Amino acid sequence: MSHPGLAEAVAELTGAEAAEPRRLGGGDASAAYEVRLDDGRSVFAKAAPPNMPHALRAEAASLRWLAEAGAARVPEVFGEDEQWLITEHVAESSPTAEAAAEFGRALARTHAAGATAHGCPPPGGPRDAWIGLAPMRNEPVADWPTFYGTLRVEPYVRRLVDAGTLHRSEAEPITELCERLGELPGADEAPARLHGDLWSGNVHWGRGPEETTHVWLIDPAAHGGHRETDLAMLRLFGCPRLDQVLAAYEAETPLAPGWHERVGIHQLFPLLVHGVLFGRGFARQAHSVAREALRSF
């Protein structure tokens, strides 16, 4: 094995012996491998990212919670410990119209499975979790406007202002927008079961056993929240066949009127996170989004 402890973890968590792994690209934070087992299966092994306590525990809990909805496809979790997360490996495939529509319907049903509160972590998941390389707090909150403002916008605005990445004057429209979130259509929706980091890289187009293409949700940062936030993140960096995904979603579970005009508001969270991680360009974009949104009130 090319990574210390990988063979032992695979054997303990899957009950099968492992052959030599194949290094995969992985994400921003950790090494990842495809590992062929002696029983013929292939599994995906992800190493614990450095200086990110509880990250694997949070991801495993997120995957299990999304799978419990029985709708969107999620790689099976075989187990996790302090150093490794072992899941089903799904071979890549190319996007198709059929898979996009299936994914849209399945995502709507996953959201509809609900959560106990806005901001709640998955069962068994830590409250102090991560989104990419940034810390993310999951804490049950009574309503979506309070949750989104206090746990998904304000903490990152403070970090950006303290670092000098965002000027205090630029933070003012973001703060004002947070104070008005309760006026938005759909602001009183019940908490949905969110993936939480649903950019296109976490929408995995793969081959099922019957060689048909489907979508699997990977690398979640799941929590209870507003379903429009997942959809807005899909649009932030583009997703293959997104129009078909969204059409199938709305046919399954219609969204509150005017949701297209609220996309930027729901993108504030990932924009601010990217500002913390990657700098001023994303912070300025968040400022512009907030100013534009305020004009619509």
Side-chain angles (χ1 to χ4, degrees), residues 2 5-6 12 21 24 26 67 82 128 132 138 155 158 170 176 183 215 223 245 248 255 263 266 275 278 291:
S2 58
L6 177 54
E12 180 177 351
L24 302 173
E82 292 302 312
D128 290 311
N138 289 324
R158 286 196 300 270
E170 293 174 319
E176 181 181 351
E183 301 174 33
V215 167
H223 58 274
V245 173
L255 294 152
V263 167
H266 288 274
F278 305 116
R291 287 187 61 189

Side-chain angles (χ1 to χ4, degrees), residues 66-135:
L66 294 173
E68 285 172 6
R73 295 170 186 262
V74 180
E76 180 182 357
V77 178
F78 295 120
E80 77 280 352
D81 57 25
E82 292 302 312
Q83 294 299 318
W84 293 98
L85 170 66
I86 311 296
T87 70
E88 172 190 10
H89 178 264
V90 180
E92 291 185 7
S93 186
S94 298
T96 67
E98 294 79 8
E102 177 191 61
F103 170 47
R105 293 188 294 269
L107 182 61
R109 294 195 298 270
T110 299
H111 286 165
T116 57
H118 290 284
C120 71
R127 297 195 174 192
D128 290 311
W130 302 86
I131 179 164
L133 298 175

Side-chain angles (χ1 to χ4, degrees), residues 51-55 58 128-138 197 220-221:
N51 304 315
M52 292 175 62
H54 314 305
D128 290 311
W130 302 86
I131 179 164
L133 298 175
M136 183 183 78
R137 177 74 173 172
N138 289 324
D197 190 12

